[in-house]
Amino acid sequence: MHRLAVGTLFFLQGLCFASWASRIPSLQQRLGLGEAALGLALLALPVGSMTSLAFSGWLVAREGSARVVLGALGLYAGALVGIGLAGSLGALLAVLFVFGLAGNLVNIAVNTQAVGVEARYGRSVMGSFHGLWSLAGFCAAAVGTAMMGWGVAPLPHFVGMAGLLLVGLLASARFILPDGPGRHPAGRVLSLPDRSLWGLGLMAFCSMICEGAMFDWSGVYFERVVRAPPDWVGTGYAAFMGAMATGRFVADGLTRRLGLTRVFQLSGALIAGGLLLAVLVPRLGAALAGFLLVGCGVSSVVPLVYGAAGRSQKVPAGVALAAVSTIGFLGFLLGPPIIGLVAEALSLRGSFTLVAGMGLGVAWVGTLRREA
């Protein structure tokens, strides 16, 4: 029951985030936001996430992941409703800051719960949890598309989703791992990652640069470089997301068969090979195949990095996860603008070649790191 309950929490987390993301165009239209104003609003969410990273690991270590995940997921659902209620840019900025802060608290706490479930199973199960998060994203995107097609405003949509989240939260609460406050020493609120975590953080950094590139630039690449027909511009992103979600459900079995180091090596090779295929052969079929390979490669890196960090013997699981998440999230934030700058100076194909190097970085660091 612990695995089912924690899996449900991962699904609810993904459902909440993707519900907001699916209605961004509706919110932009309702509030009359220009491109610059929307960009400013979107910046509030990662700022909230980064703010939370400063204390989330300490809070989980001090209060216990069970208590934090329940409170943070409730706050996450409330902030989703707040987004629907926002009537101005200032209000949207404030509530998105809270949404990002709550989302990262959920992220650290629920991954700490997943590490505990892994310990009870004695084998890797982290990939399947992250697969449920990706699956929830597909479900929420489908619901959001339907809501827009039916002309439903964001607020009733978000209220319905928040209600679903709270029902799922209440149903799962009694079955999550009961790690109470004070189980691990909390230590300082702010501290540098332990030396043993830097390699894991660097792999997360490289992988999340690739994720950010796919999220923000895949459509642009298919439009400007591949020159795909308008109806096919979004297929690169869909191929990447589908492969990433599927790969996460098979990552655990692959890790048990090949070992952690070889999976990191394979993941890095798939990322680099897929991107180079899309760069060297910028045609629709080859680019789709390349983006599928990138999705397969990216799928296992962050879940397995989180699992390895949570097994650290030197710092509490929540603190270790927060440290690795901080390093990785910087890659997610810095990657897209760097790609834009390189594309301006060279070309979009040149910037994607640089991202392929990040895949090789995953393989290289994975080779240097001793298998846990």
Side-chain angles (χ1 to χ4, degrees):
M1 291 302 292
H2 291 313
R3 184 174 181 179
L4 178 61
V6 174
T8 300
L9 296 181
F10 270 92
F11 188 86
L12 295 175
Q13 180 194 16
L15 203 65
C16 189
F17 178 80
S19 293
W20 129 255
S22 70
R23 300 306 303 268
I24 291 175
S26 302
L27 291 162
Q28 181 183 18
Q29 183 178 16
R30 184 171 69 83
L31 296 177
L33 302 178
E35 300 301 324
L38 178 62
L40 178 63
L42 294 177
L43 184 62
L45 195 150
V47 169
S49 295
M50 290 299 292
T51 301
S52 172
L53 284 169
F55 63 86
S56 54
W58 169 84
L59 186 63
V60 168
R62 183 177 184 272
E63 298 295 331
S65 61
R67 180 177 295 183
V68 173
V69 75
L70 294 175
L73 197 52
L75 178 61
Y76 206 28
L80 181 65
V81 175
I83 293 172
L85 288 169
S88 65
L89 176 60
L92 186 62
L93 283 167
V95 75
L96 282 177
F97 176 86
V98 176
F99 191 69
L101 187 146
N104 191 66
L105 277 174
V106 175
N107 182 51
I108 300 303
V110 78
N111 275 283
T112 303
Q113 283 278 312
V115 168
V117 172
E118 273 198 336
R120 294 197 174 202
Y121 272 75
R123 56 186 173 88
S124 176
V125 295
M126 184 69 79
S128 63
F129 287 137
H130 285 253
L132 286 169
W133 189 95
S134 298
L135 179 62
F138 279 109
C139 294
V143 171
T145 300
M147 291 291 179
M148 286 188 287
W150 296 336
V152 178
L155 179 57
H157 173 196
F158 292 166
V159 168
M161 281 298 178
L164 181 61
L165 259 68
L166 292 177
V167 170
L169 185 61
L170 291 173
S172 304
R174 60 180 295 194
F175 299 111
I176 62 177
L177 292 177
D179 61 334
R183 182 178 176 182
H184 301 294
R188 293 179 294 173
V189 176
L190 293 171
S191 61
L192 290 174
D194 182 86
R195 183 177 179 180
S196 64
L197 300 175
W198 277 109
L200 294 172
L202 184 56
M203 281 190 285
F205 179 86
C206 293
S207 179
M208 293 188 78
I209 282 181
C210 300
E211 286 191 41
M214 293 295 102
F215 289 154
D216 290 2
W217 288 95
S218 58
V220 177
Y221 192 84
F222 265 63
E223 181 180 24
R224 297 184 183 176
V225 178
V226 178
R227 298 188 182 281
D231 291 345
W232 287 79
V233 167
T235 56
Y237 177 75
F240 166 77
M241 286 297 293
M244 184 170 72
T246 303
R248 285 178 167 175
F249 284 109
V250 303
D252 297 319
L254 197 64
T255 303
R256 291 193 292 270
R257 177 171 295 185
L258 300 180
L260 196 57
T261 297
R262 288 187 179 180
V263 172
F264 283 140
Q265 293 169 337
L266 176 62
S267 297
L270 287 172
I271 293 169
L275 283 166
L276 289 176
L277 176 61
V279 167
L280 296 175
V281 190
R283 296 185 177 88
L284 183 59
L288 278 173
F291 278 37
L292 278 168
L293 292 176
V294 176
C296 291
V298 164
S299 64
S300 61
V301 177
V302 169
L304 295 180
V305 162
Y306 279 11
R311 294 191 295 271
S312 172
Q313 300 299 310
K314 297 182 179 180
V315 293
V319 175
L321 285 166
V324 170
S325 294
T326 301
I327 300 171
F329 195 69
L330 285 174
F332 193 78
L333 290 179
L334 294 176
I338 290 175
I339 289 169
L341 292 172
V342 174
E344 184 72 23
L346 300 175
S347 68
L348 197 53
R349 292 173 74 183
S351 64
F352 269 57
T353 304
L354 176 65
V355 178
M358 296 298 101
L360 295 178
V362 171
W364 178 64
V365 178
T367 301
L368 294 179
R369 180 188 171 274
R370 291 181 179 180
E371 185 163 353

